[in-house]
């Protein structure tokens, strides 16, 4: 029997500490897309890391978990859309994101449009790699 490769987001690709979330909020740039505020903070580290915050005001437990799963899946499959060497924190906005209706394709399209804007702050920055 063959073993399936885990498709889970590895620990190194996740924002896990409270301090990292706080720094992203304080030092990061804010971007908005339908249903989310996205904080992007350059770290100088390796690949981008993802953090997702969904409060109880957004939806019940099942809805919050669905939102997290969809955001993680878009991040995992499309890392080239996210700024390298940065923390990317998604904050779901209460009343603006419908947990039952959120889908992979729609969220990916929103992020593709946003990717053009968030590349700008690091253009020419010595701490960030050049785009290929």
């Amino acid at each position: 029997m063959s073993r399936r490769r885990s498709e889970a987001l590895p620990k190194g690709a996740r924002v896990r500490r409270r301090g990292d979330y706080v720094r992203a909020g304080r030092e990061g740039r804010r971007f908005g897309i339908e249903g989310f505020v996205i904080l992007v903070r350059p770290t100088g580290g390796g690949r981008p890391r993802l953090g997702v915050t969904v409060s109880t005001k957004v939806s019940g437990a099942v809805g919050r978990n669905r939102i997290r799963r969809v955001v993680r899946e878009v991040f995992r499959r499309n890392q080239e859309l996210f700024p390298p060497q940065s923390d990317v924190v998604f904050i779901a906005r209460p009343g603006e994101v419908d947990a039952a209706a959120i889908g992979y394709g729609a969220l990916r399209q929103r992020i593709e449009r946003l990717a053009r804007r968030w590349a700008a702050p690091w253009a020419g920055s010595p701490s960030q790699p050049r785009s290929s």
Side-chain angles (χ1 to χ4, degrees):
M1 207 161 126
S2 66
R3 288 185 134 180
R4 278 185 45 164
R5 193 181 106 226
S6 173
E7 293 190 15
L9 202 57
K11 284 185 179 182
R14 296 184 301 217
V15 177
R16 295 177 26 208
R17 296 192 176 119
R18 181 181 185 279
D20 292 336
Y21 281 95
V22 171
R23 273 190 292 284
R26 197 176 331 117
E27 300 168 9
R29 290 205 45 204
R30 290 179 184 272
F31 298 93
I33 61 173
E34 184 182 339
F36 296 93
V37 171
I38 302 173
L39 308 172
V40 179
R41 177 184 164 265
T43 60
R47 62 183 167 184
R49 296 189 312 162
L50 174 70
V52 183
T53 302
V54 186
S55 79
T56 56
K57 293 179 182 179
V58 174
S59 183
V62 173
R64 291 192 311 271
N65 287 329
R66 176 170 167 68
I67 292 166
R68 282 190 205 96
R69 277 195 312 271
V70 171
V71 170
R72 279 195 310 256
E73 187 68 5
V74 169
F75 180 81
R76 188 180 65 78
R77 289 186 173 186
N78 303 284
Q79 286 201 9
E80 72 280 356
L81 294 176
F82 295 89
Q85 299 182 353
S86 61
D87 287 347
V88 180
V89 176
F90 280 73
I91 303 170
R93 292 178 178 162
E96 289 191 32
V97 65
D98 181 6
I102 190 169
Y104 174 87
L107 184 58
R108 185 179 191 284
Q109 285 179 344
R110 293 176 199 165
I111 292 171
E112 281 178 337
R113 286 192 302 264
L114 180 62
R116 294 182 202 106
R117 289 193 318 177
W118 65 30
W122 295 286
S125 172
S127 64
Q128 298 298 321
R130 290 184 207 101
S131 304
S132 356

